[in-house]
Amino acid sequence: MTTTGNAFVHHDERSGTWTVSGHPEILAALSDPATFSSNVPRLVGGDAGDDDGNLVQMDPPGHRKLRTLVSHAFTPKVVAGLEPRIAALTTELLDDMDGDVELVSQLAHPLPVIVIAELLGVPASDRALFRKWADVLIAGDAEFTAKDEDGAQKQRFEKLARDVQPMVEYLIRHAHERRAEPRHDLLTALVQAEVDGERLTDGQLVNFATLLLFAGHITTTLLLGNTVLCLDEHPEQAARIRADRSLLPGAIEESLRLRSPFTVLARVTNTEVELGGQVIPADQMVLLRVRTANLDPRVFARPDEFDPARDPNPHLSFGRGIHFCLGAPLARLEGRIALNLLLDRFPVLRTDPADPPVPLPSPNMTGVASLPLRTAY
Ligand code: HEM
């Protein structure tokens, strides 16, 4: 591979993308959305514009308006109010387990998907469908390229759009139902919401609901599996955490740092910019490798060590700046409740070398598609 640049910022000639791997360099990029735009589709075929409703790909001022609107649904008070429901759901899922466990299908996937479905107001009983669509999205994930000379990337995006069409229709149907019959759910709030005196279009609504539905569960599913894997890899730390549950939130942060569910965030440059001693021209795709930045020795002492007591722990796994993960408090709460109850229920939880975890087939995400666990020695 031909590259120019340094260890923290370099250009890859093959894919035509820039890679940023240093922690301070990524922070600088995330703090400057005017230069580092989130409207990535404009470079890879298809301009999202700044009002298509997919919050994570929008720039100011459209981003701020939509984010303000939905932030009400995720205030610390609203999220804290979900605690009893999350605990009850976890207990139900644990009660259904019998003998050895497959963590992803029995807890790590159903819990976050039911929570986000209930928040949005789509039937949680449709969760087999959501899993199918999530699998389609994950299967469509591949390394980004800014060149795409053979058009393979464009074809992949087109195929993905076709494959997710049933999901688009499903969400539009539910949004129309909420227009006719409002309820106390997020979908109703979205159909009634006005940004600058205008209602969201069906397209904006679907894009936003899709983002919430999938950002709201795929990553939390990964977080739960990843944290159990961290504990399995560090039995002495796991014993400490079992004995002193005040260490669990720190263990979840370390799991996020070492096994960041999203490994890379993408941006495009609006103008030429200097970053980490390199000059990046305008209209370049820039890949911010957060998982690598989470190991930056300039910021983290003993970066490879799993240390639940690490404080501070400024990992970048929820991003930073204006796009900082809206669901971070919810993901942390789900992680804390689910893992606490899981540890209470099973005094032994170990991977089985004869039936190893199956990694997720995605270059841009870290996690497992299945995690068989032994519950007895
Ligand atoms: C944004 C990670 C859980 C909703 C983000 C971003 C990251 C992230 C890295 C920033 C993307 C960027 O800057 O380009 C995660 C991880 C999670 C998680 C690791 C779990 C462990 C959730 C949950 C929800 C959610 C539970 C919803 C209930 C969102 C939304 C955005 C976002 C709406 C876009 C925010 C914006 O653009 O202003 N997430 N997320 N996430 N996340 Fe999460």
Side-chain angles (χ1 to χ4, degrees):
M1 178 169 28
T2 322
T3 62
T4 48
N6 57 39
F8 304 119
V9 180
H10 70 261
H11 185 245
D12 171 13
E13 310 294 340
R14 184 183 48 85
S15 66
T17 58
W18 288 80
T19 285
V20 186
S21 322
H23 190 283
E25 291 76 14
I26 291 186
L27 262 190
L30 292 177
S31 312
D32 181 5
T35 308
F36 293 92
S37 159
S38 290
N39 185 356
V40 178
R42 109 174 146 80
L43 273 199
V44 291
D47 186 348
D50 71 351
D51 64 351
D52 83 331
N54 184 350
L55 192 67
V56 78
Q57 293 183 340
M58 289 168 67
D59 289 330
H63 171 267
R64 188 186 44 75
K65 283 190 243 161
L66 198 56
R67 174 136 181 158
T68 309
L69 196 150
V70 79
S71 306
H72 301 303
F74 291 97
T75 57
K77 197 167 155 229
V78 172
V79 172
L82 295 173
E83 181 153 359
R85 179 70 186 134
I86 297 172
L89 279 171
T90 307
T91 304
E92 268 174 44
L93 291 165
L94 290 172
D95 287 347
D96 285 344
M97 292 179 184
D98 190 13
D100 285 347
V101 168
E102 197 291 283
L103 193 83
V104 179
S105 58
Q106 293 184 284
L107 178 68
H109 179 261
L111 176 67
V113 91
I114 297 172
V115 171
I116 192 69
E118 289 186 352
L119 263 179
L120 260 178
V122 291
S125 53
D126 286 340
R127 63 178 191 264
L129 273 178
F130 307 149
R131 181 149 198 193
K132 197 172 97 189
W133 293 328
D135 287 345
V136 167
L137 292 175
I138 292 168
D141 193 29
E143 292 281 358
F144 294 108
T145 173
K147 289 193 167 157
D148 198 25
E149 274 145 4
D150 57 2
Q153 178 166 268
K154 187 158 179 278
Q155 277 174 14
R156 218 177 47 244
F157 287 142
E158 285 167 358
K159 176 171 185 315
L160 196 59
R162 280 196 306 276
D163 290 349
V164 298
Q165 193 52 32
M167 177 190 75
V168 170
E169 284 158 18
Y170 174 95
L171 289 171
I172 289 189
R173 201 174 67 245
H174 279 282
H176 286 178
E177 282 172 20
R178 291 311 173 284
R179 269 202 189 110
E181 268 181 63
R183 293 193 206 159
H184 287 289
D185 58 32
L186 196 50
L187 215 47
T188 304
L190 291 176
V191 296
Q192 292 180 338
E194 291 189 359
V195 181
D196 288 349
E198 280 178 33
R199 293 267 162 105
L200 300 181
T201 63
D202 277 356
Q204 289 170 322
L205 223 140
V206 165
N207 282 340
F208 199 8
T210 307
L211 173 66
L212 286 173
L213 187 57
F214 293 105
H217 84 270
I218 297 178
T219 44
T220 309
T221 299
L222 300 181
L223 168 66
L224 295 174
N226 288 346
T227 309
V228 169
L229 277 177
C230 286
L231 298 182
D232 183 62
E233 273 169 11
H234 301 93
E236 69 305 331
Q237 294 287 12
R240 278 180 67 208
I241 294 159
R242 279 184 179 276
D244 175 3
R245 297 302 173 82
S246 71
L247 292 171
L248 185 59
I252 293 173
E253 296 309 304
E254 277 294 80
S255 153
L256 283 163
R257 183 176 71 82
L258 290 166
R259 294 174 176 261
S260 183
F262 284 133
T263 55
V264 56
L265 307 179
R267 296 292 189 267
V268 298
T269 48
N270 281 336
T271 53
E272 182 182 285
V273 61
E274 195 262 312
L275 186 70
Q278 301 297 308
V279 176
I280 307 179
D283 301 323
Q284 298 291 300
M285 186 181 301
V286 182
L287 302 177
L288 309 173
R289 301 218 172 260
V290 287
R291 190 175 177 194
T292 315
N294 286 345
L295 299 174
D296 191 331
R298 295 172 297 171
V299 175
F300 300 97
R302 302 163 283 101
D304 295 316
E305 204 172 292
F306 174 75
D307 176 8
R310 189 182 293 278
D311 184 24
N313 188 347
H315 66 74
L316 298 175
S317 304
F318 286 124
R320 277 298 169 90
I322 64 168
H323 291 281
F324 180 79
C325 177
L326 198 64
L330 177 59
R332 285 174 164 139
L333 183 70
E334 289 184 45
R336 182 170 59 71
I337 296 173
L339 292 161
N340 252 325
L341 292 173
L342 183 74
L343 295 179
D344 287 348
R345 185 67 63 102
F346 296 107
V348 175
L349 268 182
R350 296 307 304 268
T351 51
D352 181 354
D355 189 8
V358 177
L360 204 71
S362 160
N364 302 314
M365 289 184 219
T366 310
V368 284
S370 101
L371 180 47
L373 294 169
R374 285 183 294 115
T375 55
Y377 285 111

